[in-house]
Amino acid sequence: MHVFFKDRLTNEEVDVEAILAKIESKIPQHLYSEIEMIIVGWFEEFEERSINAFYDSGTIYVSNIQDDNADMYDDIVHELAHALEEVYGYSIYADEKVKDEFLRKRKHLHDILWNHGFKAPLAFFTEVEFDQEFDDFLYKTVGYDKLSALLQGVFLSAYAATSLREYFATGFTEYYLDPNHGFFKKVSPSLYAKIYQLQNPDELDNY
């Protein structure tokens, strides 16, 4: 993976070479072979979408404002997951096991929030694609701090509840962040099994 610095890192202690070495040592090569370049800098999409990294057409764009190596590693691995959806989308989603697990959790989320006074139509919770209105409901009405407390043991994180794609990407990131997969396997067994399957290129089907 080639790295281009559009803007200087604001934290000079962040070691991009060490981060890339960690990625290459932990993640199988076939899972990042589609990434042609990582561009570090500040982009208007970050402000518009309240994000600090995104993937587009073989390139990961990541913010030059990072707390530490772990922060940047998390951002890059998360976007690697979205890149994988383009290549191995059939293997990830075709049997609908991950989708079914996600929707069961969404229904549980609806019930939890309803019982805590956050009432929203069930139709909100059955849409697997990103929906800005639903995201605003979670982020602004409920609040991610409150949501995180309510969702312990249901989703790996509050952000995982926002869409099916983020459910997958959050799980993929968790797989490579925490070497102890016990909690992951317990909370999201179908997602864990799918990410485990991705480790073996012989079991994967491309589009």
Side-chain angles (χ1 to χ4, degrees), residues 34 44 46 80 85-87 92 104 120 126 180 204:
E34 297 298 311
E44 60 184 29
F46 295 162
L80 278 178
E85 290 177 303
E86 292 189 358
V87 186
I92 296 167
R104 286 195 301 271
T126 58
N180 182 357
L204 301 176

Side-chain angles (χ1 to χ4, degrees), residues 9-66:
L9 287 162
T10 58
N11 182 353
E12 295 182 356
E13 294 184 1
V14 173
D15 187 340
V16 175
E17 287 189 11
I19 294 166
L20 293 182
K22 182 178 180 180
I23 289 171
E24 291 171 355
S25 68
K26 286 182 171 290
I27 301 177
Q29 195 272 338
H30 69 278
L31 296 183
Y32 58 82
S33 60
E34 297 298 311
I35 304 301
E36 299 173 3
M37 182 176 291
I38 296 172
I39 300 180
V40 179
W42 185 255
F43 300 89
E44 60 184 29
E45 287 89 345
F46 295 162
E47 194 160 348
E48 291 172 356
R49 296 160 55 189
S50 298
I51 57 175
N52 49 14
F54 65 92
Y55 168 77
D56 184 45
S57 304
T59 299
I60 291 175
Y61 300 82
V62 62
S63 173
N64 62 317
I65 303 172
Q66 299 286 339

Side-chain angles (χ1 to χ4, degrees), residues 82-97:
H82 289 312
L84 283 176
E85 290 177 303
E86 292 189 358
V87 186
Y88 299 120
Y90 185 83
S91 293
I92 296 167
Y93 297 118
D95 62 9
E96 298 197 339
K97 290 181 180 179

Side-chain angles (χ1 to χ4, degrees), residues 106-108 110-111 114 120-127 134:
R106 273 284 196 84
K107 174 62 168 61
H108 191 31
H110 168 270
D111 295 343
W114 192 277
L122 182 59
F124 254 0
F125 297 80
T126 58
E127 174 56 62
F134 182 67

